[in-house]
Amino acid sequence: MQGATPIENAICHMIHILSPASTVDHRINCKASPAIIDTNNNKIQIERVLIVDLTCEHGSGIQSIYYESNQVFYISIHDDNHQAELNYHECGKNDGLGYTMNIPLSSIDSIDDSDYITIINELVLPITRAFKPELIVVCVDFHVQTLTPLCYAWIIEQLSMISNSKVVVALDGNLASVSSRVTYVQTVLSVLIGKLSSINNDKWKNNINIHGDVRQKIDLVRQEHKKFWPCFT
């Protein structure tokens, strides 16, 4: 935003968006056009967009919109709600085959920073570097109670270091529920304005242990996507 202070620019990053899951017919089957961003009355063509959905619930509405697009890569880390049929095999369709990544976790109520860090390192970052997005949208609701604010900060900072990518953080869902997570919002804002860095935190360097369910799901997702992306072979 022209003429804005760093704080104002950071607040612009923290965009509240309505979840498409509540407004989009899940039967929609369309090919998405390249995203257009309007800044200062100038339209900028964006050819590749990555959406990293860190909210607890699966964003089936978002997935439906972009399921046949190879210009928007959608990644969702979500609670599997103890479903017998898991959706890690849902990878897109037609032109969009290989451009949807679902990571369903049955232990989401007990996972911690180490689990998320491993998922990001082994799945999200490799595909992000391979896809080379021009815009990265990170959807958060801060509802995973066992994750610390620094974990979210680390994820966003890692993504912001991807070459030629801009990062937008979107508060997805009910803003009232986020009011109790002020520390999380403040920490993410601090990263966005360059006042905080968690990259060199010793916690992320240690040999970390993860839940067995998380390891199993990482291996399943990698196996599914190695058909499309050499970074997993």
Side-chain angles (χ1 to χ4, degrees), residues 127-142:
I127 205 66
T128 302
R129 296 187 183 103
F131 181 56
K132 297 181 174 62
E134 297 161 280
L135 177 67
I136 301 173
V137 179
V138 184
C139 300
V140 296
D141 58 8
F142 304 126

Side-chain angles (χ1 to χ4, degrees), residues 153-177:
W154 180 88
I155 292 171
I156 291 165
E157 191 170 9
Q158 286 286 348
L159 291 170
S160 68
M161 294 173 66
I162 301 297
S163 179
N164 298 321
S165 296
K166 301 297 183 183
V167 176
V168 170
V169 178
L171 293 175
D172 192 352
N174 187 352
L175 276 179
S177 64

Side-chain angles (χ1 to χ4, degrees), residues 23-190:
T23 58
V24 176
D25 188 332
H26 292 186
R27 295 169 297 178
I28 287 177
N29 188 10
C30 63
K31 293 184 179 181
S33 300
I36 301 293
I37 296 180
D38 193 353
T39 58
N40 298 325
N41 295 321
N42 295 318
K43 289 188 176 180
I44 303 173
Q45 193 84 10
I46 301 293
E47 296 292 342
R48 294 179 307 281
V49 178
L50 172 70
I51 301 174
V52 181
D53 191 345
L54 301 179
T55 61
C56 291
E57 300 298 326
H58 178 239
S60 53
I62 302 176
Q63 176 174 302
S64 296
I65 295 170
Y66 300 114
Y67 205 59
E68 295 189 48
S69 173
N70 60 6
Q71 295 170 309
V72 178
F73 199 119
Y74 176 64
I75 301 175
S76 175
I77 307 172
H78 56 271
D79 190 348
D80 67 8
N81 292 315
H82 306 290
Q83 298 291 321
E85 183 69 23
L86 301 179
N87 64 353
Y88 65 86
H89 61 279
E90 295 178 4
C91 301
K93 183 180 178 182
N94 297 332
D95 289 346
L97 187 60
Y99 291 85
T100 293
M101 178 181 287
N102 282 297
I103 309 168
L105 303 175
S106 58
S107 56
I108 200 162
D109 291 332
S110 59
I111 64 174
D112 56 23
D113 291 358
S114 297
D115 296 304
Y116 258 60
I117 290 165
T118 305
I119 291 171
I120 298 299
N121 275 329
E122 296 192 19
L123 293 177
V124 177
L125 290 180
I127 205 66
T128 302
R129 296 187 183 103
F131 181 56
K132 297 181 174 62
E134 297 161 280
L135 177 67
I136 301 173
V137 179
V138 184
C139 300
V140 296
D141 58 8
F142 304 126
H143 286 177
V144 183
Q145 303 289 333
T146 50
L147 295 185
T148 66
L150 275 179
C151 182
Y152 284 102
W154 180 88
I155 292 171
I156 291 165
E157 191 170 9
Q158 286 286 348
L159 291 170
S160 68
M161 294 173 66
I162 301 297
S163 179
N164 298 321
S165 296
K166 301 297 183 183
V167 176
V168 170
V169 178
L171 293 175
D172 192 352
N174 187 352
L175 276 179
S177 64
V178 180
S179 62
S180 62
R181 315 293 282 173
V182 173
T183 303
Y184 288 76
V185 176
Q186 290 175 335
T187 303
V188 169
L189 282 172
S190 296

